[in-house]
Amino acid sequence: MKTPLHRILAIDDTPANLLALDGLLSNEFDLQFATSGPTGIALALKCPPDLILLDVMMPEIDGFETFKLLAAQPMLKAIPVVFVTALNDFDAEVAGLSLGAADFITKPINATIARQRIRNLIERKREQDALQQALQEKVALLKEVHHRVKNNLQVIASLLRMEGKGSEHSHTQAVLNDMQGRIRAMALLHESIYQNGTFAWVDLASYLKKVATQVFVSLAVSPSLIRLQLQLDELQVSLDQAMPCGMLVSELISNAFKHGFPDGRSGEVCIELRPLEDGAMWQLRVSDNGIGLPDNFESAVQHSLGLQLASSLASQMGGRLDVGPGAAFTVQFKVEPTTLPT
Amino acid sequence: MTHQKPGDFGQARILIVEDESIIAMDIAMQLRELGHQVVGQASSGEQAINLAQRLRPDLVLMDVQLKGVMDGIDAAQTIRSRFNLPCLFLSAFANDSDSLTRAALAAPVGYLSKPFFDHELRSVMEIAIRQLDQ
């Protein structure tokens, strides 16, 4: 099967010039003709060409004006336009190129050069279209993946919730609730990524705020008894650091709410994120003014998955979890560069 | 509102439209715990319209991304215009301005982003029910 010829629309007010173009190009291209800008545009809208040859010197609406009209048409603005001018009309050439013309051909037209220029431009346009389409497919794919991630997180959360409600053991229920909390911290990170529109970095302060608020609300902490105090400086971190950081905060404040304030005790849980003096290191601190840590805290850690997780998450962030004085947990960490690996 | 007006505790008759069966089951359980009555479950837009017509629920809880020709927004618009029934959307797309704009046209009484957790469904439902009562 023969591939169809590329279609070229030639706009020129002088029929003799159009006839000349026909003689030069018609054996390689499918040519259409118009003798004024407006009729050319009407023709192009009906049947979009691959390229437009546009004479500069035309009465009433000249080539430049026609070009502007073409560029204002969403359907036509991507079509490459080649101006045809008299030889050595440098001013016209500059004006046309600065408007965004694809190229220039000077009269008298050299058929070999003109044909090659047109071939190159059409090929470039074809490549551009292919790229554009590939990009659109990737965007659609990314959207689909995002949808599936969140939907699957929802399925997991739903399963845990139903298992929890089905269980008669309070310990099992507590474990399943903790698991939902951890999934929530991960889900919020996904939310943050898509709100930023970038995978390169996450606004850590706003992410931690969401995590903390969610834990607070989901554990049904009474705001009149326990206050959540947030002192978070602005910081952009990579996804690799944000994820452990969010989960760490989720573990530590769940712990504080659950164990720090028994029997209706009141107080506050404080989360602090700030740079250290030299600026290269940052500090995350979660503390509360509840009853304090138990005397056997060291051995209690052995039995608490949450605290063991907290410790590994801190080292995943590139820091170490320090305990004390009092019910305070501190991680100092170096902020990793937030550019995407190539 | 239909023959059965929401009671003192803001109970409503609800139709759930969600093609992921596990999520649908979980939502049904949560709604019953909140004191609502789940009158039906659908897994496609077409089925949702049929059930809405037959059951006349007080509220339709509608997943935006449904498989098939019709998505949740199309179905909600039809249900709204034909039967004058309100919808509450459930969606896994957080920040997709296209669907948000389309969703707004269906005048939903609430919007819940997946994954959602107990307290979120509870508060969104409370706000929605309050709108129904007015």
Side-chain angles (χ1 to χ4, degrees), chain A residues 273-291:
Chain A
L273 177 69
R274 62 178 178 86
L276 296 175
E277 279 83 34
D278 63 353
M281 299 284 288
W282 278 64
Q283 174 171 291
L284 174 72
R285 188 163 184 272
V286 177
S287 57
D288 69 76
N289 62 359
I291 54 164

Side-chain angles (χ1 to χ4, degrees), chain A residues 157-179:
Chain A
S158 289
L159 285 169
L160 291 171
R161 183 157 43 217
M162 289 191 286
E163 283 285 11
K165 280 175 184 151
S167 168
E168 285 159 11
H169 303 284
S170 60
H171 175 70
T172 309
Q173 287 176 353
V175 167
L176 292 167
N177 276 337
D178 286 351
M179 287 306 298

Side-chain angles (χ1 to χ4, degrees), chain A residues 236-274:
Chain A
Q236 292 183 353
V237 295
S238 67
L239 284 178
D240 287 343
Q241 275 192 310
M243 175 66 93
C245 199
M247 298 198 64
L248 176 68
V249 165
S250 169
E251 295 297 337
L252 290 177
I253 64 172
S254 307
N255 235 17
F257 289 139
K258 280 191 263 181
H259 305 299
F261 305 90
D263 311 318
R265 200 185 156 99
S266 65
E268 63 180 36
V269 173
C270 182
I271 308 174
E272 235 183 86
L273 177 69
R274 62 178 178 86

Side-chain angles (χ1 to χ4, degrees), chain B residues 32-102:
Chain B
R32 287 193 191 102
E33 268 176 40
L34 293 172
H36 302 298
Q37 191 192 343
V38 177
V39 292
Q41 291 189 22
S43 57
S44 74
E46 291 82 354
Q47 200 188 358
I49 294 168
N50 280 334
L51 286 182
Q53 179 169 29
R54 203 145 53 79
L55 303 168
R56 299 287 165 154
D58 296 324
L59 178 69
V60 181
L61 212 155
M62 177 79 76
D63 183 26
V64 168
Q65 292 86 31
L66 293 170
K67 294 177 200 98
V69 203
M70 193 179 247
D71 74 359
I73 301 174
D74 297 329
Q77 278 170 341
T78 306
I79 289 173
R80 168 132 220 134
S81 61
R82 274 207 230 156
F83 318 123
N84 194 27
L85 294 176
C87 288
L88 193 162
F89 282 128
L90 193 65
S91 169
F93 289 141
N95 205 21
D96 173 18
S97 52
D98 284 359
S99 355
L100 282 177
T101 314
R102 283 184 54 229

Side-chain angles (χ1 to χ4, degrees), chain A residues 182-255:
Chain A
R182 288 163 189 150
I183 289 163
R184 189 179 308 122
M186 289 192 270
L188 283 171
L189 184 68
H190 272 274
E191 201 82 37
S192 298
I193 298 169
Y194 281 85
Q195 269 158 14
N196 282 349
T198 172
F199 280 92
W201 53 268
V202 170
D203 175 353
L204 189 61
S206 93
Y207 170 48
L208 293 183
K209 185 181 170 192
K210 280 189 220 157
V211 170
T213 315
Q214 286 275 9
V215 174
F216 191 86
V217 179
S218 69
L219 291 179
V221 180
S222 159
S224 58
L225 284 180
I226 305 174
R227 290 203 324 134
L228 187 61
Q229 188 79 259
L230 300 173
Q231 291 163 8
L232 306 169
D233 282 9
E234 288 279 311
L235 176 63
Q236 292 183 353
V237 295
S238 67
L239 284 178
D240 287 343
Q241 275 192 310
M243 175 66 93
C245 199
M247 298 198 64
L248 176 68
V249 165
S250 169
E251 295 297 337
L252 290 177
I253 64 172
S254 307
N255 235 17

Side-chain angles (χ1 to χ4, degrees), chain A residues 107-146:
Chain A
K107 290 189 261 193
I109 293 171
N110 176 309
T112 316
I113 293 178
R115 273 202 287 261
Q116 193 54 51
R117 284 190 181 205
I118 291 169
R119 276 184 219 125
N120 289 353
L121 285 169
I122 288 176
E123 176 59 17
R124 205 180 302 156
K125 175 68 172 38
R126 203 192 54 74
E127 285 168 1
Q128 216 171 41
D129 288 349
L131 273 177
Q132 195 62 38
Q133 190 179 345
L135 182 65
Q136 269 166 15
E137 280 165 15
K138 295 289 178 229
V139 169
L141 179 68
L142 192 61
K143 210 169 123 177
E144 177 65 21
V145 168
H146 175 52

